């Protein structure tokens, strides 16, 4: 399989105040990548977390015993739990989406009563393992979420310029933003278990902007314009950025929401940590051409969730939950 030549974009200038020519040059480079490939590698990103730091957080959570993770599971997997949007979901062994995950939102909850009574509460509080079980996990995860939100804000300003708009064009998207930080673990599949070709099926992201930390295991594949699946391997110190269906629409079709998948690698586990920038629930969005329908983000994402396995009423997975409950010890 050939390797996809995704562009590499250096974000060094974002670490300090930049002048207009530098910003415009970076905006042009980012816009070109999102138009032609829909994906790019970002290097020298303005974060205080290195790759080892990010994956230490992910591994620290997924190494917890199953019964402790299930205490944080979404209601669709653990009926006695109240959290519906944030929290843990277990790997689905009978599907090609073989991954477990843990999702958190902003530490400061937006005030949005309209959305609190929906079947999936988009503004609910995060759930956390105890400090004793996972020392520092909550503190550092909240800091990581904040830094990735700040980076998203900077990238949105560049994207606005690339689209010929003022840098502040997307500022209202940041109001009461409900962005999601998702830790993912793809368990190894070892013989004699049957091997699966994919551990994450082909899809486009549904939202605005995704920032992905991927480990060196590999497996990420991107669909090229000529219909070939090509590898998007790890580039040391990089974050992968891509746009979703919603940003493609908002850009008036200029940007590409590129289909991608994750190939299963026999005997090897994989970790990844995507950050999905999400506007506020009440954010009204229209494309840059000022034509077409106005989209309310909360309505958009709730409609999309109908097809996402971790948000469905999953009676078929009740046996998995019962199995984990059986092994839970009486004392923590």
């Amino acid at each position: 399989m050939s390797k996809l030549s995704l562009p590499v974009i250096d974000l060094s200038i974002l670490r300090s105040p930049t002048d207009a020519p530098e910003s415009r040059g970076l905006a042009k480079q980012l816009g070109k990548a999102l138009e032609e490939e829909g994906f790019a590698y970002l290097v020298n990103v303005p974060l205080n977390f290195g790759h080892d730091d990010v994956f230490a957080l992910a591994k620290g959570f997924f190494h917890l015993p199953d019964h402790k993770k299930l205490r944080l599971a979404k209601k669709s997997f653990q009926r006695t739990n109240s959290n519906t949007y944030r929290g843990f979901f277990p790997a689905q062994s009978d599907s090609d989406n073989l991954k477990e995950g843990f999702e958190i939102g902003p530490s400061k909850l937006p005030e949005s009563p309209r959305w609190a009574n929906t079947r999936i509460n988009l503004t609910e509080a995060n759930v956390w393992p105890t400090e004793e079980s996972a020392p520092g996990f909550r503190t550092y995860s909240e800091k990581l979420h904040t830094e990735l939100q700040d980076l998203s804000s900077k990238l949105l300003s560049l994207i606005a310029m690339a689209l010929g708009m003022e840098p502040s064009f997307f500022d209202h998207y940041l109001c009461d933003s409900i962005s999601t930080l998702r830790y993912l673990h793809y368990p190894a599949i070892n013989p004699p278990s049957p091997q699966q070709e994919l551990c994450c099926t082909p899809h486009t992201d549904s939202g605005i902007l995704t920032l992905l930390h991927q480990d060196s295991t590999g497996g990420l594949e991107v669909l090229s314009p000529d219909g070939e699946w090509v590898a998007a391997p790890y580039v040391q110190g990089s974050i992968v950025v891509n746009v979703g269906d919603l940003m493609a629409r908002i850009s008036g079709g200029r940007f590409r929401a590129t289909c991608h998948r994750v190939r299963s690698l026999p005997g090897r586990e994989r970790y990844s940590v995507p950050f999905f920038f999400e506007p506020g629930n009440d954010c009204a969005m229209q494309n840059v051409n000022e034509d077409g329908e106005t989209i309310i983000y909360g309505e958009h994402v709730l409609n999309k969730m109908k097809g996402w396995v971790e948000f469905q009423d999953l009676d078929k997975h009740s046996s998995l939950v019962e199995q984990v409950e059986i092994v839970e010890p009486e004392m923590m």
Side-chain angles (χ1 to χ4, degrees), residues 1-5 197-198 218-224 227-233 261-265:
M1 175 175 290
S2 62
K3 291 183 179 180
L4 181 66
S5 296
E197 179 183 3
L198 302 175
L220 177 63
E221 297 178 354
V222 176
L223 190 64
S224 69
E228 179 186 7
W229 285 105
V230 291
R261 68 184 187 183
V262 179
R263 179 175 294 278
S264 178
L265 301 173

Side-chain angles (χ1 to χ4, degrees), residues 112-134:
S112 189
R114 172 189 174 192
W115 304 95
N117 296 321
T118 55
R119 188 175 67 90
I120 299 172
N121 182 0
L122 300 175
T123 57
E124 70 186 10
N126 293 318
V127 293
W128 298 101
T130 64
E131 181 67 15
E132 181 181 6
S133 296

Side-chain angles (χ1 to χ4, degrees), residues 137-213:
F137 178 75
R138 174 175 181 171
T139 298
Y140 288 110
S141 293
E142 289 179 336
K143 288 181 178 178
L144 179 59
H145 188 287
T146 297
E147 291 194 16
L148 289 168
Q149 180 76 2
D150 290 345
L151 176 57
S152 297
S153 174
K154 293 181 174 69
L155 293 175
L156 286 170
S157 293
L158 295 173
I159 289 171
M161 288 189 283
L163 292 170
M165 312 303 288
E166 291 296 321
S168 60
F169 178 78
F170 291 111
D171 281 3
H172 69 290
Y173 284 37
L174 303 171
C175 181
D176 290 334
S177 167
I178 58 168
S179 298
T180 296
L181 175 64
R182 174 183 280 193
Y183 295 107
L184 290 175
H185 174 225
Y186 300 80
I189 304 176
N190 296 306
S193 299
Q195 292 299 311
Q196 295 182 195
E197 179 183 3
L198 302 175
C199 51
C200 183
T201 52
H203 65 284
T204 55
D205 292 346
S206 63
I208 301 292
L209 192 70
T210 303
L211 301 174
L212 172 70
H213 284 85

Side-chain angles (χ1 to χ4, degrees), residues 39-307:
F39 271 74
Y41 294 109
L42 305 178
V43 296
N44 295 318
V45 294
L47 297 176
N48 292 313
F49 289 81
H51 261 59
D52 289 345
D53 302 321
V54 173
F55 288 109
L57 288 169
K59 292 175 182 179
F61 177 82
F62 291 116
H63 288 172
L64 290 173
D66 283 345
H67 72 272
K68 291 188 177 183
K69 290 185 289 187
L70 259 294
R71 286 185 174 179
L72 306 172
K74 300 177 185 187
K75 187 177 181 66
S76 51
F77 293 95
Q78 189 78 320
R79 300 292 185 181
T80 56
N81 290 352
S82 60
N83 50 303
T84 58
Y85 191 41
R86 307 303 183 188
F88 173 69
F89 61 88
Q92 305 307 300
S93 58
D94 58 348
S95 77
D96 283 335
N97 286 297
L98 185 59
K99 60 182 183 290
E100 58 178 338
F102 183 72
E103 298 180 319
I104 68 170
S107 54
K108 182 180 179 181
L109 295 178
E111 296 182 5
S112 189
R114 172 189 174 192
W115 304 95
N117 296 321
T118 55
R119 188 175 67 90
I120 299 172
N121 182 0
L122 300 175
T123 57
E124 70 186 10
N126 293 318
V127 293
W128 298 101
T130 64
E131 181 67 15
E132 181 181 6
S133 296
F137 178 75
R138 174 175 181 171
T139 298
Y140 288 110
S141 293
E142 289 179 336
K143 288 181 178 178
L144 179 59
H145 188 287
T146 297
E147 291 194 16
L148 289 168
Q149 180 76 2
D150 290 345
L151 176 57
S152 297
S153 174
K154 293 181 174 69
L155 293 175
L156 286 170
S157 293
L158 295 173
I159 289 171
M161 288 189 283
L163 292 170
M165 312 303 288
E166 291 296 321
S168 60
F169 178 78
F170 291 111
D171 281 3
H172 69 290
Y173 284 37
L174 303 171
C175 181
D176 290 334
S177 167
I178 58 168
S179 298
T180 296
L181 175 64
R182 174 183 280 193
Y183 295 107
L184 290 175
H185 174 225
Y186 300 80
I189 304 176
N190 296 306
S193 299
Q195 292 299 311
Q196 295 182 195
E197 179 183 3
L198 302 175
C199 51
C200 183
T201 52
H203 65 284
T204 55
D205 292 346
S206 63
I208 301 292
L209 192 70
T210 303
L211 301 174
L212 172 70
H213 284 85
Q214 62 168 333
D215 67 11
S216 59
T217 304
L220 177 63
E221 297 178 354
V222 176
L223 190 64
S224 69
D226 60 4
E228 179 186 7
W229 285 105
V230 291
Y234 169 66
V235 171
Q236 186 172 5
S238 70
I239 295 177
V240 176
V241 62
N242 66 281
V243 295
D245 298 327
L246 199 49
M247 178 59 87
R249 291 175 62 180
I250 292 165
S251 72
R254 285 182 54 182
F255 295 157
R256 294 183 60 218
T258 302
C259 192
H260 51 286
R261 68 184 187 183
V262 179
R263 179 175 294 278
S264 178
L265 301 173
R268 301 183 66 182
E269 64 180 348
R270 179 180 186 267
Y271 293 88
S272 70
V273 183
F275 178 84
F276 302 100
F277 171 78
E278 299 181 79
N281 291 324
D282 295 309
C283 180
M285 299 169 288
Q286 193 173 38
N287 72 41
V288 294
N289 301 323
E290 297 185 347
D291 57 16
E293 65 177 325
T294 298
I295 301 168
I296 305 300
Y297 183 71
E299 296 172 358
H300 166 82
V301 73
L302 286 172
N303 184 59
K304 288 288 186 179
M305 283 179 181
K306 295 175 182 177

